[in-house]
Amino acid sequence: MTSAADEKARLRSERLDARDALPTETRIEASLVMAEHGDAGLAIEHGTIVSGFSPIRSEADIRPLMTCLKRRGARLCLPVILDRQTIVFRELVPGAPLISMGFGTVGPGPDAEVLDPDVMLVPLAAFDADGQRIGYGGGYYDRAIAQLHKKGLFPRLVGIAFDCQEVASVPAEPHDVRLHAVLTESGWRRFEP
């Protein structure tokens, strides 16, 4: 019998291969369409703290969406890996330098304010129609979400993916937290009641 972790690893590899196979032009166009869907469908108020991410490898580029949200008054932040266990979210402000964060990504430096997001735009390897996600296997977002929950904070979790990353079913484990929605180039898939 295959364990949940083994099945997740198989699905992760399969869906990342499918994402990697998308031509660069397709990913760029899909990312721009995602920004339009995201801007139109993400309810935020002035001052809402939104965590995004700097795209790596073949991820969707959400920088156009983040620009739209900033224009609408969102405070933006990016994840910063402090050590093998911890992510914090540092504020992204115009003109502030970005530094290498490892893993091929960049983020605000140590002088940037650490924020607790109200909305988290979450990268992922795979997702299903119930809002379960498979990350990249390091557990960073799972731990970051758990830390926010310990503080009594429950941000809206929005997975960011291409349509090709959907799978029939993600085997859920006890530490997994269901997404509220996924945003793809086809639009929104909402899982919240």
Side-chain angles (χ1 to χ4, degrees):
M1 179 180 242
T2 304
S3 72
D6 290 340
E7 179 63 5
K8 282 183 173 181
R10 184 188 71 75
L11 291 170
R12 177 183 300 113
S13 177
E14 177 186 286
R15 292 301 88 209
L16 290 178
D17 286 348
R19 188 181 78 187
D20 290 346
L22 292 172
T24 301
E25 299 79 19
T26 301
R27 288 196 308 266
I28 291 169
E29 290 176 16
S31 294
L32 292 172
V33 170
M34 254 185 243
E36 292 174 14
H37 290 307
D39 189 34
L42 188 58
I44 62 163
E45 298 174 5
H46 187 80
T48 299
I49 299 170
V50 179
S51 70
F53 55 89
S54 179
I56 58 172
R57 298 185 296 270
S58 60
E59 285 179 337
D61 186 349
I62 62 164
R63 290 173 295 186
L65 173 57
M66 292 169 62
T67 298
C68 293
L69 298 175
K70 178 75 174 171
R71 277 193 213 118
R72 290 175 45 206
R75 289 181 73 188
L76 302 177
C77 55
L78 293 175
V80 174
I81 298 173
L82 297 182
D83 56 45
R84 291 184 173 266
Q85 296 295 313
T86 310
I87 286 182
V88 296
F89 298 91
R90 290 182 182 157
E91 187 165 19
L92 178 64
V93 296
L98 298 177
I99 61 174
S100 173
M101 294 289 130
F103 302 102
T105 190
V106 296
D111 294 337
E113 184 177 354
V114 173
L115 303 175
D116 291 326
D118 301 308
V119 176
M120 294 175 70
L121 305 178
V122 182
L124 53 83
F127 70 95
D128 68 17
D130 291 325
Q132 294 295 337
R133 71 178 271 276
I134 298 174
Y136 295 134
Y140 288 105
Y141 273 89
D142 293 326
R143 288 189 295 277
I145 293 164
Q147 286 300 319
L148 290 167
H149 288 179
K150 284 181 186 175
K151 292 179 171 181
L153 304 172
F154 297 89
R156 281 184 287 161
L157 306 175
V158 178
I160 302 293
F162 296 111
D163 289 331
C164 69
Q165 293 174 255
E166 186 170 7
V167 297
S169 179
V170 169
E173 297 180 274
H175 66 272
D176 291 334
V177 178
R178 205 167 145 258
L179 298 168
H180 296 102
V182 168
L183 176 62
T184 74
E185 68 270 29
S186 294
W188 288 94
R189 297 164 194 209
R190 299 185 191 275
F191 312 113
E192 53 196 344

